[in-house]
Amino acid sequence: MSTGSGAASAPAPDPHDTPAAPDTPARGNSMFSSLGVRNYRLFFLGQVVSNIGTWMQRIAQDWLVLTLTGSSAAVGITTALQFLPMLLFGLYGGVLVDRLRKRPTLFVTQSAMALTAIVLAVLTLTGRVEVWHIYVAAFALGLATVVDNPARQAFVSELVGPGQLQNAVSLNSANFQSARLVGPAVAGLLITGVGTGWAFLLNGLSFVAPLAGLMMMRPRELHAVERAPRGKGQLREGLRYVAGRPELVWPIVLVGFIGTFAFNFPVYLSAFADDVFHGGAGVYSMFNTLMAVGSVSGALLAARRGTARLRLLIVAALAFGALEILAAASPQLWMFALIMVPLGLFSMTVNVTTNTSLQMATDPAVRGRVMALYMMVFLGGSPVGAPIVGWITDTYGARVGFAAGGAVAVVAATVIGLILARVGGLRLSVGWHHGRPHVRFVPRERQEALAPVA
């Protein structure tokens, strides 16, 4: 594996804690410090506009399919077609990203996504749209995402360097979740006021912002990263690279379990809104909004931290699973709704911490393949897990389904936390500190030194 120029920006971390690079900012640095980098600021502002358009299209697309067919299954098919390319071709997309220059690659993928939205807008506004058109558009969008997602993830490190990576990844997540508060509301107004076609058109036009940002960037200010040369076996090489590093493989396994079984919020929250609390679409929308508020808060808190530690990932995953179980047992609507805020916070902490720790621990020459594998496992698990948790929810009730998802997260976090501790030469230490129980991991040598003499 390449250790040439740029490799030093991805130091091999301790299996349990991912250390920051030498130029990582101090813990108390500004929450928005990476916005001081001109190229990243252009990228961020472009994504603000584009993300709002993306959320508008998501809502409009589902509503249009439902209007044309009257079938929830058709909505599910549309979603599956959009994620299917990532599941099938995600790793190959990562290989391409490692070979190509990120900035021109993003210009092509963002242009393709804009064209898809505009074609769908024209078909809808002229009254010629049919459901198969939407299926094709969803699949085409998914194909562009196969390359766009890992390219955007990997490009962040070129924009800001390793010292600001944690902050920049966190702000990206806050950006996307903030758009989640605005985009659906705007889409609702457009759909009821002028029709779904205008939501598609505005989404297509919103890509002008990120495209302009890419054009205005100063290439000389990008952090140079060695690209992988064209060759055979690069997909297997990437998989071997991950398999040989516990600090990479186990976080990916963890988010695989969580993404497949615990992140199916459309299934869980719609069932609680309709079947448990009998509140309808308004209550479902409120649940999603409260989760988005928590997610934005979690992303901003992550932006303030200077490092991404794997112990934080394990703790956040445990808290996330426990909150799902607690929410499942909530007898009152107000109690369930309140839990949505910390649930969103810890779900975003899991997401951001995994993303940052993987990027910091990966050689830049293989970063595209690693991030593609991460996105494939995280996003590709939903089409697999959704029918399973949907069957559990339909058969045994919404409370059992939600609690089962939380239990999977808790068990996975516990097992993988113990594995990482063992790999890192750590042991669990349980004792009392200032009159309170104190549970932590300590080096085995220290644990043995603290053991009482027989």
Side-chain angles (χ1 to χ4, degrees), residues 22 47 86 88 93 129 140 150 170-171 205 215 234-235 247 287 303 366 383 412-413 439 453:
Q47 291 300 309
M86 179 63 72
L88 297 177
V129 69
S170 303
L171 288 181
L205 296 176
M215 293 178 64
Q234 289 182 321
L235 180 57
E247 70 276 10
F287 291 160
V366 76
V439 181
V453 179

Side-chain angles (χ1 to χ4, degrees), residues 225-395:
V225 170
E226 180 183 7
R227 284 181 284 147
R230 184 180 298 273
K232 295 182 178 180
Q234 289 182 321
L235 180 57
R236 292 191 300 272
E237 181 186 28
L239 293 174
R240 284 197 301 269
Y241 180 88
V242 173
R245 288 163 174 77
E247 70 276 10
L248 298 180
V249 67
W250 290 115
I252 291 175
V253 171
L254 176 58
V255 298
F257 276 105
I258 292 177
T260 301
F261 297 104
F263 262 61
N264 288 286
F265 295 115
V267 175
Y268 297 136
L269 299 187
S270 60
F272 266 85
D274 190 33
D275 300 334
V276 177
F277 298 120
H278 310 290
V283 172
Y284 176 57
S285 176
M286 178 186 69
F287 291 160
N288 280 280
T289 300
L290 290 171
M291 275 204 69
V293 170
S295 297
V296 172
S297 302
L300 292 176
L301 287 174
R304 193 169 181 82
R305 287 191 292 268
T307 57
R309 298 181 179 275
L310 291 183
R311 70 177 65 179
L312 175 63
L313 171 61
I314 299 301
V315 171
L318 284 169
F320 171 76
L323 283 168
E324 284 202 344
I325 296 172
L326 181 62
S330 299
Q332 301 293 332
L333 172 62
W334 66 266
M335 187 181 300
F336 185 90
L338 283 179
I339 295 174
M340 292 300 100
V341 177
L343 189 66
L345 188 151
F346 282 108
S347 70
M348 184 53 58
T349 302
V350 170
N351 192 343
V352 171
T353 305
T354 305
N355 189 316
T356 311
S357 63
L358 291 177
Q359 293 209 48
M360 291 297 296
T362 302
D363 187 322
V366 76
R367 186 171 285 150
R369 278 165 282 181
V370 173
M371 298 312 295
L373 178 61
Y374 160 65
M375 297 303 295
M376 186 188 76
V377 170
F378 188 53
L379 297 179
S382 293
V384 176
I388 298 174
V389 300
W391 175 81
I392 294 174
T393 300
D394 287 341
T395 305

Side-chain angles (χ1 to χ4, degrees), residues 20-30 33 163-164 167 303-307:
D23 60 341
T24 297
R27 194 178 178 87
N29 265 24
S30 167
S33 57
Q164 297 278 12
N167 184 264
R304 193 169 181 82
R305 287 191 292 268
T307 57

